[in-house]
Amino acid sequence: MKKFGTSLYGYNKEDVNNFVAEVIKEYESMLNNLKSANEENKKLINEIEHYKDMQGSFNKAILVAQDASTQIKKMAKDEYKTIVEDAKKNASRIVNDALLRAEKIERDSEELRRKTIILKRRLRQEIEASLESIEDIGEN
């Protein structure tokens, strides 16, 4: 606590004025510090709000990405199923075509065997007829 010197009419005016000036300086300094602290506080609050907004945006972006991922997975699965079904259909068609060709080749082969047998018989008959003609020539 400050003690003031006394004079004829009370306290020493210069001491009191100096003290009041010090109090005013200290008060102004504290007021300026308080204003700076308030401004810093407002700035930090604004930054916090900004970061909260960013967090909300990030959360929304994550949800959108998760939805997109789910949709892409579903589309890929559907496409996979379609490709497998098409492959099975094509495989069945290819097998059926191969079986039909094999049956046709087998029929053609059988027809060729029959024609070969018929040709052999005819040749044999022609040869036998020619041999008989040759034998008849020598006897006459």
Side-chain angles (χ1 to χ4, degrees), residues 98-110:
L99 287 173
L100 291 174
R101 280 191 222 137
E103 287 175 3
K104 184 180 183 309
I105 290 170
E106 191 175 328
R107 283 192 307 268
D108 291 347
S109 175
E110 187 60 36

Side-chain angles (χ1 to χ4, degrees), residues 34-136:
L34 183 61
K35 284 181 184 179
S36 293
N38 281 339
E39 288 175 11
E40 182 68 19
N41 192 22
K42 285 179 185 178
K43 180 182 168 188
L44 292 174
I45 287 172
N46 287 337
E47 285 183 20
I48 288 172
E49 289 301 318
H50 175 71
Y51 289 126
K52 282 182 181 178
D53 290 343
M54 286 176 56
Q55 180 183 11
S57 297
F58 288 143
N59 287 340
K60 287 177 186 176
I62 288 170
L63 290 175
V64 168
Q66 285 175 338
D67 288 344
S69 172
T70 302
Q71 289 177 355
I72 289 171
K73 285 179 186 177
K74 184 184 179 303
M75 288 171 41
K77 189 175 182 179
D78 292 344
E79 186 175 349
Y80 157 78
K81 286 180 181 179
T82 302
I83 289 171
V84 168
E85 287 173 9
D86 289 347
K88 285 180 180 178
K89 288 177 186 175
N90 286 338
S92 294
R93 184 183 49 80
I94 290 169
V95 168
N96 287 338
D97 288 349
L99 287 173
L100 291 174
R101 280 191 222 137
E103 287 175 3
K104 184 180 183 309
I105 290 170
E106 191 175 328
R107 283 192 307 268
D108 291 347
S109 175
E110 187 60 36
E111 181 67 25
L112 189 57
R113 274 189 229 125
R114 275 189 253 130
K115 286 181 179 179
T116 303
I117 291 171
I118 291 171
L119 181 62
K120 282 182 181 179
R121 283 183 194 157
R122 285 185 186 161
L123 278 173
R124 185 173 283 134
Q125 287 173 354
E126 288 292 324
I127 291 172
E128 287 175 0
S130 294
L131 285 174
E132 283 180 22
S133 295
I134 291 174
E135 285 182 17
D136 286 343

Side-chain angles (χ1 to χ4, degrees), residues 16-49:
V16 171
N17 285 341
N18 286 338
F19 177 73
V20 169
E22 281 182 39
V23 168
I24 289 172
K25 268 178 154 180
E26 189 65 32
Y27 177 78
E28 286 176 350
S29 174
M30 289 174 62
L31 189 60
N32 286 336
N33 286 342
L34 183 61
K35 284 181 184 179
S36 293
N38 281 339
E39 288 175 11
E40 182 68 19
N41 192 22
K42 285 179 185 178
K43 180 182 168 188
L44 292 174
I45 287 172
N46 287 337
E47 285 183 20
I48 288 172
E49 289 301 318

